[in-house]
Amino acid sequence: MAAPAPPTAAPEPTTVPAETSKTDHPMFSRIRLATPSDVPFIHKLIHQMAVFERLTHLFVATESGLASTLFNSRPFQAVTVFLLEISRSPFSTTDATSPDFTPFLETHNGDLPIEDPDSQDFSPDKLKDVVVAGFVLFFPNYPSFLAKQCFYIEDIFVREPYRRKGFGKMLLTAVAKQAVKLGMGRVEWIVIDWNVNAINFYEQMGVIVFKEWRLCRLTGDALHAIDKLSI
């Protein structure tokens, strides 16, 4: 009986380079008070929000209309706008401060850089690579059951490339912290019923989403018809 063939020599191990760890892409975010020079960005943000909410047929705002109505009072006494800005470089801790509000600054790390095809249209400072990524517009209201002033959020919006990264929570937190600072009773807003992602997000934050309340609106011809009624 023939002797078994000698075993085949084991192949030389192939050197495989270790998997390169994902490179972090730091992002720096800032929430600051909007100023009159920000009106073009606010106008574009509101239009993008109207597109997202499928309400462009109601969008009639103009830059001149915003400029003449948004900045007539001190912040937090009437309509106030916070802007969310993103940069690849750290923001200065002394820039954009005002007697009324100190900007919120945060640092974020991502696996990939954010692709923003509209960044040039939302860049207030191209030299510093700053991009406006979202906003929140709010004002005081007065729920009589509480007998306290509160904040009502009319609009909160984060542009599509920057969603699901914690920036919406950052905007809400900025408003809530200001409400607590001013001794206000609560913060409230409405949400479209088909926006399930937003509803889930709010509920995870501990927000109560009322299902039995309905928005009432008197506008257009109906508003003018009532204006002609005698009292």
Side-chain angles (χ1 to χ4, degrees):
M1 185 174 184
T8 304
E12 291 294 326
T14 303
T15 303
V16 179
E19 183 179 354
T20 304
S21 59
K22 292 181 178 179
T23 303
D24 285 337
H25 293 267
M27 288 186 300
F28 302 90
S29 60
R30 174 173 70 184
I31 291 179
R32 65 168 174 84
L33 278 172
T35 67
S37 64
D38 296 312
V39 163
F41 306 115
I42 296 170
H43 185 255
K44 290 184 182 77
L45 287 164
I46 295 173
H47 181 262
Q48 285 198 354
M49 183 177 62
V51 172
F52 174 75
E53 294 183 347
R54 309 166 194 171
L55 296 174
T56 52
H57 59 289
L58 300 178
F59 179 78
V60 295
T62 62
E63 288 189 23
S64 60
L66 293 172
S68 65
T69 54
L70 277 182
F71 302 100
N72 296 328
S73 301
R74 289 192 61 140
F76 315 120
Q77 295 180 0
V79 179
T80 301
V81 177
F82 285 160
L83 284 188
L84 166 68
E85 293 179 321
I86 307 297
S87 177
R88 288 179 290 186
S89 303
F91 289 98
S92 167
T93 56
T94 58
D95 189 24
T97 58
S98 78
D100 301 293
F101 182 73
T102 300
F104 282 34
L105 304 176
E106 285 193 5
T107 303
H108 316 260
N109 285 311
D111 296 333
L112 296 171
I114 293 178
E115 298 294 333
D116 182 0
D118 297 326
S119 61
Q120 292 299 311
D121 294 331
F122 287 91
S123 182
D125 192 341
K126 294 179 175 60
L127 295 178
K128 293 185 179 179
D129 192 34
V130 175
V131 177
V132 175
F135 81 119
V136 57
L137 184 152
F138 58 102
F139 50 85
N141 67 347
Y142 189 86
S144 58
F145 287 7
L146 283 182
K148 275 188 174 183
Q149 274 202 335
C150 303
F151 276 147
Y152 183 84
I153 295 176
E154 177 66 25
D155 299 320
I156 181 168
F157 180 73
V158 175
R159 293 175 50 230
E160 197 279 331
Y162 303 95
R163 292 176 196 155
R164 296 171 292 280
K165 302 181 188 302
F167 295 128
K169 183 177 182 179
M170 192 176 171
L171 283 166
L172 275 177
T173 300
V175 177
K177 283 182 175 291
Q178 191 64 29
V180 171
K181 180 180 179 180
L182 297 177
M184 294 191 162
R186 68 189 183 206
V187 177
E188 59 188 1
W189 62 96
I190 61 172
V191 59
I192 298 176
D193 59 1
W194 55 256
N195 196 348
V196 177
N197 289 336
I199 293 171
N200 291 337
F201 163 66
Y202 295 146
E203 290 179 335
Q204 289 170 8
M205 288 186 66
V207 174
I208 300 172
V209 180
F210 292 97
K211 296 178 174 61
E212 64 271 22
W213 291 73
R214 294 291 184 270
L215 173 68
C216 299
R217 177 175 294 162
L218 184 60
T219 186
D221 292 341
L223 174 62
H224 291 285
I226 286 184
D227 181 51
K228 296 175 182 177
L229 296 178
S230 59
I231 298 178

